Amino acid sequence: MTAEEKRNLEFFGNHIKNILDPTYVLDYMSDWFSQENIQSIQAMKTNKGVTAAATLFLECLLKFEETGWFRGFLDALHGAGYTGLAEAIQSWNFQKIEKLEKPKLLLKFLHKEFKDNVHVDIILPRISGCLINQQCEEIRQVQNNLGNIAGTDKLVEYLLRSDKENWPKVLKLALEAEEYEFSKLWTLEEDTNGTKNAEMYDSQAEENGVSTMQICYKEESEQQNLSENSCPLPEIPEKPLKPRSYQLELASPALEGKNTIICAPTGCGKTFAALLICENHLTNNPAGQKRKIVFLATQVPVYEQQESVFKKYFERLGYKVAGICGEIAEDAPVECVVDNNDIIVLTPQILVNSIKSGTVRSLSVFTLMIFDECHNTSKKHPYNVLMINYLDQKLGRSANPLPQVIGLTASIGVGDAKDKFEAIEHICQVCACLDASVISTVKKNVSDLEQVVYKPEKLFRKVESQPVNKFKFVISKLMEETENLIEKTFKEYDLIPEYQLENLSQIQNRVFGTQKYEQWIIDVHKKCMLLQMEDKNKERKICKELFLYTSNLRKYNDALIISEDVRIQDAVRYLKEFFREAESFDETEQYLIHQFKEKIQELEDISTDPRNENLKLDELTFILEEQYHQNPETQTILFVKTRALADALKKWMEENPKLSYLKPVVLTGRGKRNQNTGMTLPSQKGVLDTFRTSGENKILIATSVADEGIDIAQCNLVILYEYVGNVIKMIQTRGRGRARGSKCLLLSSKEEVIEKEQINIYKEKMMNDAIEEIQTWNEEVFVRKIHHLQLQEKAIRDNVIVAKPQLEENNKRLLCRKCKVFACHTADIRVVEDTHHTVIADAFKESFVTEPHPKPKDFGSLKKTGKIFCAEPSCHHDWGIFARYKTFDVPVIKIDNFVVEDVATGLQTLYSKWKQCNFKMIPFDAREMSN
């Protein structure tokens, strides 16, 4: 955020304080506000009121220096429902907010008459759109607990803090609709000179001792409001941008109405070609036919980017554009959005769900479908689910018209093809899935394309491995000792039949610090959880021991992988954090912690010895120093495999005096991996905005979330740090380097990684050759080929008998995954809103202990307040969360923290997701809780 924007925020602070209840937005800003700040603001509201809390909130806000917080603040306002305030801050134009002052003055004056005459339960449903959902809920609770007058007082309080410009008019219409006499006191008129009048009059008012009053206020067009143009927005051009010759070439088949895959390099403007196609589609429609377009984007940041582009381009032409993604799907009426707009931007799962539920009747409601990154159309991807629906309609000769289909991609890929013939088959299969009759590439206007899109030079840097790795030697010894403990457990109890736990005690061909070992130990970890014995006490003891041993082996293996890619001290820090959190509840844990602590000093000495520095980091330092010496304005994207590696490299750069001036920022995905939650959407957007606009942050460290679709500033340098995938990923990542003279460099210490990337380069040529050959085919021949493939796939689908899973009636037991202690019966599990799972049995309360949640926040209709753990003193395994749902405090359990045991047969099973479970579950019913 700029200094000018901070000044603007301070300047308009009074408006913000008089509207905002900060407790509604804090959950959306937990990435920036500390728990201490959150508690202080909440306490301020309780002790001194909302305005005082908003003042403290604003003071904290203006002290932030982290990247992305301003974008996060705007998103938090939108998320909480403060759309008017967000719009005013985004444009720094508070004119609409200021016009509400006079109606608010009138409402204050009429407060007594309002609460004496209006019934909250009648009027609230009509004006709820002018309030925030949470405010409506609080008004209802106050009315239910304290009566109508208290509820009306609360309604007036919230209207006086409303940021919705239409609330005076909506209130007037609501009062009139319910035929309240009070409506005569609340009159809004607009004269021909643009003068708005708020009048209060009533013949009975004077009799009741209320003086008459008239309030008038004018809109002065000549007088510039102080809030205008403090920070002007970029202007939208009056005339459409002129397309380049190659963009017209790419769009040409689609403009003729053909189903088309547009395959062109990243950065060439495929989205603009899509805009041309959409505009042509909307303007050239047969008489009486309603045109409707859906644009599909796989990732939420891409969705937001494309929604913004389409709105800017088409709303000035008079078309309606709207979008829905997973972030807002619960609050957005899909049917209404689809019915009331010309262009709808969606993430594909939203449309899949809507078709399945019948909210959207069929794909025939659309006349054009555009699939961004269409190479994903395969297997169970939502794109393919939609196209199977489309093809079933087509091949079933449905009478309903089908939409035109357009696919956009930088690379169709070749799948597992070994030669050009197999590549042709793969590409034809993708075309069949998208019902495409044409692959459009740039052929006639290559020189025009090359002026815009520069193909980065591809370089390889092979780094030699450390000749002597003392860290690996010490950790390997710890791992060998832990493996010996596992074997000792097997022999001590003489209980493991070979058929039950195959190769558990025979650890063969192990190589510590590899993905192969990681997979092996995960498999062992799961099998140990399912170990069963007649003596259940002994079973619980052994299972817990094996759980601890295998958990430690996984962490040691992770540390070796970390030390390969970053500093040894990062790996040591990772292990210290794990053992610090691993509380010593029993002898086994105490021994394992002691075993590690004995080696801490030796490991720290190794990590600070300059002779043990990672040679890859030395090479990365040299590359960056050389590049920024030659061109100080360089922008770099550094691709890495994992979030942990991204964070570790950022920390290393910040602590490296040679590189700290680069001020790295990190962009990672949003999903949850191994108990670590990814970046929130506001955080992602904040990082992208900062990297695009700030001259200070010169390097973006990113995982795979950045390699597809997201529009990132032109970069001079793309570095792939032990980062390699298939040919599609190679083309996508390379395409991030768009500036002329840019480079794409693969840095690795592994020969096989470099070989794989060289194979990808060969596959790219094979793909281009295959496309060129397909383009020489007669179009009718190609269409017949596609149709044949579609019929083949449909025959396979029709002949596959999908057995509907039979949910078992038998009651089952949930056991703690770590110590195998009994938790609850499946008959006591209830499903909350088809998503969350709670346990209603009173006995379950004795099975867990609760601790405050480190990040309490709302998600959907639940408010996280705590975490729950196994109550067994020597276990304390994480079971889930404690949450507030409506008026109930309920435990919400995660199935991947339990073993499921059949009561009748004793068979034990592990599930990672609730949808995998094969037992019946009953929906949550509040009446059960009351009883």
Side-chain angles (χ1 to χ4, degrees):
M1 185 185 188
T2 64
E4 182 183 4
E5 287 171 325
K6 270 195 176 182
R7 287 195 299 272
N8 285 338
L9 206 55
E10 287 179 298
F11 183 79
F12 295 114
N14 284 336
H15 286 308
I16 297 169
K17 295 171 193 173
N18 291 330
I19 290 172
L20 180 66
D21 183 335
T23 59
Y24 297 163
V25 301
L26 285 172
D27 283 343
Y28 296 92
M29 298 198 70
S30 55
D31 286 349
W32 290 279
F33 280 89
S34 67
Q35 197 59 39
E36 184 182 351
N37 282 341
I38 290 172
Q39 291 171 355
S40 299
I41 292 166
Q42 290 170 337
M44 183 67 76
K45 177 182 174 180
T46 303
N47 298 327
K48 296 189 177 180
V50 178
T51 304
T55 302
L56 178 58
F57 172 86
L58 201 58
E59 288 173 5
C60 295
L61 205 64
L62 291 168
K63 291 176 184 175
F64 288 156
E65 299 296 337
E66 295 94 332
T67 57
W69 71 261
F70 183 64
R71 178 75 250 180
F73 176 43
L74 291 175
D75 288 334
L77 291 174
H78 276 292
Y82 286 108
T83 51
L85 188 57
E87 180 187 334
I89 294 173
Q90 198 155 11
S91 62
W92 298 119
N93 187 335
F94 279 75
Q95 203 170 22
K96 292 177 182 177
I97 300 287
E98 288 164 352
K99 286 177 185 174
L100 294 173
E101 290 305 312
K102 295 295 173 67
K104 288 180 180 179
L105 178 61
L106 178 58
L107 184 58
K108 285 180 184 177
F109 183 83
L110 296 173
H111 187 172
K112 184 179 183 302
E113 286 70 30
F114 191 85
K115 70 180 182 181
D116 288 344
N117 289 278
V118 172
H119 294 277
V120 170
D121 53 348
I122 294 174
I123 207 76
L124 185 59
R126 293 186 176 273
I127 62 169
S128 59
C130 302
L131 301 168
I132 289 169
N133 292 340
Q134 203 165 333
Q135 291 175 332
C136 294
E137 190 61 36
E138 288 175 16
I139 291 167
R140 290 188 189 97
Q141 286 180 1
V142 169
Q143 186 209 21
N144 291 337
N145 296 332
L146 302 175
N148 185 67
I149 290 179
T152 314
D153 276 339
K154 184 61 72 174
L155 172 59
V156 170
E157 176 191 334
Y158 286 148
L159 284 173
L160 292 174
R161 299 189 75 89
S162 176
D163 64 340
K164 309 300 185 290
E165 63 173 322
N166 65 335
W167 77 258
K169 188 174 288 186
V170 172
L171 178 59
K172 170 67 175 171
L173 293 172
L175 294 169
E176 289 176 346
E178 297 299 335
E179 298 181 350
Y180 280 114
E181 282 294 314
F182 175 77
S183 65
K184 296 175 182 176
L185 299 173
W186 186 263
T187 304
L188 297 168
E189 296 176 355
E190 186 169 347
D191 63 27
T192 54
N193 297 320
T195 303
K196 289 186 179 177
N197 300 302
E199 299 179 353
M200 186 284 288
Y201 57 88
D202 185 24
S203 58
Q204 296 177 346
E206 292 184 24
E207 296 175 16
N208 295 330
V210 179
S211 61
T212 58
M213 175 184 181
Q214 185 179 51
I215 301 174
C216 301
Y217 60 101
K218 296 184 178 182
E219 294 178 348
E220 300 289 352
S221 57
E222 298 87 0
Q223 180 184 351
Q224 185 181 13
N225 191 295
L226 283 173
S227 69
E228 288 181 348
N229 302 322
S230 301
C231 186
L233 293 172
E235 292 185 8
I236 299 169
E238 289 297 321
K239 295 180 180 179
L241 296 171
K242 184 180 178 182
R244 296 179 182 274
S245 59
Y246 70 81
Q247 289 170 328
L248 282 172
E249 182 182 351
L250 287 171
S252 179
L255 295 174
E256 296 171 8
K258 296 175 182 177
N259 287 2
T260 306
I261 292 177
I262 294 175
C263 183
T266 300
C268 72
K270 290 188 291 294
T271 300
F272 188 70
L275 294 175
L276 295 175
I277 294 164
C278 291
E279 186 173 2
N280 177 74
H281 185 80
L282 290 167
T283 54
N284 296 301
N285 57 319
Q289 185 180 3
K290 173 69 174 172
R291 296 292 208 182
K292 195 175 292 292
I293 299 168
V294 61
F295 186 101
L296 298 163
T298 55
Q299 295 181 20
V300 175
V302 181
Y303 150 84
E304 294 219 334
Q305 173 184 299
Q306 302 297 48
E307 183 194 22
S308 174
V309 168
F310 273 78
K311 279 188 173 182
K312 180 185 279 191
Y313 189 88
F314 282 105
E315 286 186 346
R316 62 181 174 75
L317 299 176
Y319 295 105
K320 292 181 180 178
V321 181
I324 307 175
C325 68
E327 295 288 310
I328 60 171
E330 287 185 5
D331 304 320
V334 178
E335 186 176 16
C336 182
V337 170
V338 170
D339 286 347
N340 296 331
N341 290 278
D342 303 298
I343 301 173
I344 303 97
V345 184
L346 298 173
T347 45
Q349 193 61 49
I350 300 291
L351 187 53
V352 170
N353 296 345
S354 300
I355 293 285
K356 186 177 180 181
S357 67
T359 304
V360 174
R361 297 183 303 279
S362 82
L363 295 177
S364 295
V365 302
F366 304 109
T367 53
L368 174 63
M369 296 178 71
I370 301 178
F371 294 80
D372 194 31
E373 309 298 348
C374 69
H375 52 264
N376 291 301
T377 313
S378 65
K379 298 179 182 176
K380 294 183 180 180
H381 191 279
Y383 277 1
N384 206 38
V385 175
L386 291 171
M387 285 308 301
I388 286 172
N389 182 294
Y390 174 104
L391 291 169
D392 283 346
Q393 275 189 254
K394 174 191 171 183
L395 299 173
R397 302 189 183 280
S398 168
N400 295 322
L402 287 167
Q404 182 184 359
V405 176
I406 306 297
L408 308 176
T409 183
S411 169
I412 296 179
V414 295
D416 298 323
K418 306 292 190 300
D419 54 39
K420 190 172 81 169
F421 174 78
E422 291 180 2
I424 288 172
E425 285 299 305
H426 171 83
I427 293 167
C428 287
Q429 188 63 58
V430 175
C431 291
C433 289
L434 285 160
D435 198 36
S437 60
V438 179
I439 303 173
S440 182
T441 58
V442 178
K443 299 178 76 177
K444 298 176 184 175
N445 299 282
V446 175
S447 59
D448 186 20
L449 174 65
E450 289 174 346
Q451 289 176 15
V452 177
V453 179
Y454 177 81
K455 186 175 178 180
E457 179 186 4
K458 191 65 180 269
L459 303 169
F460 297 90
R461 292 281 180 92
K462 170 76 165 60
V463 181
E464 296 305 318
S465 299
Q466 201 82 19
V468 178
N469 193 329
K470 293 181 181 178
F471 177 79
K472 187 169 185 177
F473 177 79
V474 174
I475 296 297
S476 295
K477 284 291 182 186
L478 286 170
M479 293 177 78
E480 285 172 8
E481 288 175 24
T482 308
E483 286 182 346
N484 290 336
L485 288 171
I486 294 177
E487 293 198 36
K488 182 182 175 185
T489 301
F490 296 156
K491 290 173 183 175
E492 182 180 342
Y493 292 98
D494 191 26
L495 48 78
I496 312 296
E498 281 298 316
Y499 71 87
Q500 191 174 17
L501 289 169
E502 182 183 355
N503 287 336
L504 266 181
S505 59
Q506 301 299 317
I507 303 169
Q508 299 170 344
N509 302 322
R510 67 191 185 278
V511 180
F512 297 142
T514 62
Q515 293 296 330
K516 189 174 181 181
Y517 187 88
E518 167 86 357
Q519 291 304 314
W520 177 84
I521 201 64
I522 288 172
D523 187 49
V524 171
H525 189 64
K526 289 179 179 177
K527 286 179 179 176
C528 287
M529 294 176 197
L530 298 176
L531 185 149
Q532 290 182 265
M533 301 173 63
E534 289 185 12
D535 185 335
K536 292 300 174 184
N537 288 328
K538 190 180 286 187
E539 177 185 322
R540 285 199 294 272
K541 181 178 185 300
I542 294 168
C543 282
K544 188 172 66 175
E545 283 183 12
L546 295 174
F547 183 97
L548 293 169
Y549 295 149
T550 53
S551 296
N552 278 28
L553 285 173
R554 284 188 70 179
K555 292 299 175 181
Y556 283 136
N557 196 65
D558 287 345
L560 289 176
I561 292 172
I562 291 170
S563 70
E564 281 273 320
D565 291 333
V566 278
R567 298 172 296 182
I568 292 173
Q569 68 188 67
D570 296 309
V572 173
R573 187 187 298 117
Y574 174 80
L575 288 173
K576 286 170 72 176
E577 189 174 317
F578 168 70
F579 282 102
R580 184 167 57 248
E581 292 177 356
E583 301 173 67
S584 52
F585 291 102
D586 68 358
E587 290 181 11
T588 304
E589 268 178 304
Q590 288 172 4
Y591 175 76
L592 291 170
I593 292 169
H594 174 73
Q595 185 188 41
F596 171 71
K597 284 184 175 178
E598 281 189 329
K599 299 292 182 181
I600 285 180
Q601 190 57 54
E602 184 180 359
L603 292 170
E604 288 186 335
D605 289 343
I606 292 170
S607 72
T608 55
D609 188 338
R611 292 172 297 178
N612 299 318
E613 286 182 1
N614 193 321
L615 298 178
K616 256 190 298 200
L617 294 180
D618 291 344
E619 185 66 20
L620 181 57
T621 303
F622 175 78
I623 291 166
L624 291 171
E625 280 191 304
E626 183 181 47
Q627 177 69 26
Y628 283 91
H629 176 72
Q630 293 172 359
N631 181 3
E633 300 305 313
T634 292
Q635 290 284 99
T636 302
I637 300 182
L638 177 65
F639 281 103
V640 296
K641 292 177 292 190
T642 65
R643 296 170 184 168
L645 182 52
D647 291 332
L649 283 171
K650 178 176 184 285
K651 190 172 183 64
W652 165 71
M653 285 187 192
E654 289 170 338
E655 294 174 1
N656 187 333
K658 295 179 179 179
L659 301 176
S660 57
Y661 71 95
L662 297 177
K663 295 188 177 179
V665 289
V666 167
L667 179 68
T668 64
R670 296 169 44 246
K672 190 174 181 181
R673 300 283 186 279
N674 299 326
Q675 305 302 314
N676 295 319
T677 304
M679 292 181 78
T680 61
L681 182 61
S683 301
Q684 286 182 329
K685 288 159 66 178
V687 166
L688 284 170
D689 286 347
T690 299
F691 188 62
R692 287 184 183 118
T693 58
S694 169
E696 293 184 354
N697 304 99
K698 295 183 178 298
I699 185 165
L700 176 72
I701 306 172
T703 56
S704 59
V705 71
D707 66 22
E708 190 172 280
I710 298 174
D711 180 24
I712 298 174
Q714 287 197 345
C715 294
N716 308 68
L717 181 62
V718 176
I719 300 175
L720 310 177
Y721 192 82
E722 296 287 8
Y723 185 92
V724 67
N726 59 20
V727 64
I728 293 173
K729 186 177 286 291
M730 181 195 75
I731 293 170
Q732 295 281 4
T733 52
R734 185 186 66 203
R736 299 300 127 199
R738 301 181 185 179
R740 189 162 293 279
S742 58
K743 302 172 192 170
C744 180
L745 188 149
L746 173 62
L747 179 62
S748 176
S749 60
K750 303 178 182 73
E751 193 64 48
E752 63 270 21
V753 169
I754 291 175
E755 286 176 2
K756 187 173 182 181
E757 193 73 343
Q758 288 170 335
I759 291 170
N760 283 334
I761 292 172
Y762 165 74
K763 285 189 172 184
E764 181 184 16
K765 182 180 182 305
M766 188 166 69
M767 178 190 75
N768 291 332
D769 291 345
I771 291 173
E772 284 182 17
E773 180 160 330
I774 291 170
Q775 289 173 330
T776 65
W777 294 1
N778 178 282
E779 190 172 329
E780 288 184 12
V781 172
F782 183 59
V783 169
R784 280 201 302 272
K785 167 82 172 175
I786 296 306
H787 186 65
H788 176 69
L789 288 171
Q790 290 171 345
L791 290 172
Q792 276 186 332
E793 287 297 312
K794 179 162 174 55
I796 293 169
R797 288 198 303 273
D798 292 345
N799 287 324
V800 172
I801 300 172
V802 180
K804 193 173 181 181
Q806 295 295 314
L807 297 179
E808 295 182 12
E809 301 279 356
N810 297 351
N811 195 9
K812 299 177 188 291
R813 293 155 32 103
L814 261 60
L815 313 176
C816 174
R817 271 204 191 187
K818 182 176 177 182
C819 71
K820 288 287 196 76
V821 72
F822 171 73
C824 67
H825 285 102
T826 56
D828 295 322
I829 295 174
R830 296 295 181 269
V831 185
V832 179
E833 297 184 356
D834 297 324
T835 305
H836 312 291
H837 297 76
T838 187
V839 182
I840 60 169
D842 286 336
F844 184 64
K845 296 173 186 175
E846 307 301 320
S847 300
F848 66 85
V849 293
T850 309
E851 295 179 7
H853 201 287
K855 285 191 174 183
K857 64 185 293 187
D858 292 350
F859 59 106
S861 54
L862 269 68
K863 181 178 181 65
K864 284 194 289 188
T865 58
K867 287 185 70 66
I868 62 172
F869 301 89
C870 177
E872 188 70 18
S874 63
C875 179
H876 202 68
H877 186 51
D878 182 357
W879 280 6
I881 63 168
F882 206 69
R884 182 82 174 168
Y885 175 62
K886 295 184 177 178
T887 57
F888 305 103
D889 292 312
V890 295
V892 179
I893 59 174
K894 298 181 288 186
I895 193 63
D896 60 349
N897 291 325
F898 297 92
V899 174
V900 179
E901 181 181 70
D902 191 293
V903 173
T905 65
L907 179 68
Q908 293 183 355
T909 312
L910 298 178
Y911 298 104
S912 59
K913 297 178 182 177
W914 282 105
K915 64 182 180 183
Q916 298 169 346
C917 297
N918 68 338
F919 49 85
K920 282 191 175 179
M921 287 175 278
I922 303 168
F924 179 86
D925 187 339
R927 288 172 294 187
E928 278 192 288
M929 302 294 284
S930 303
N931 295 334

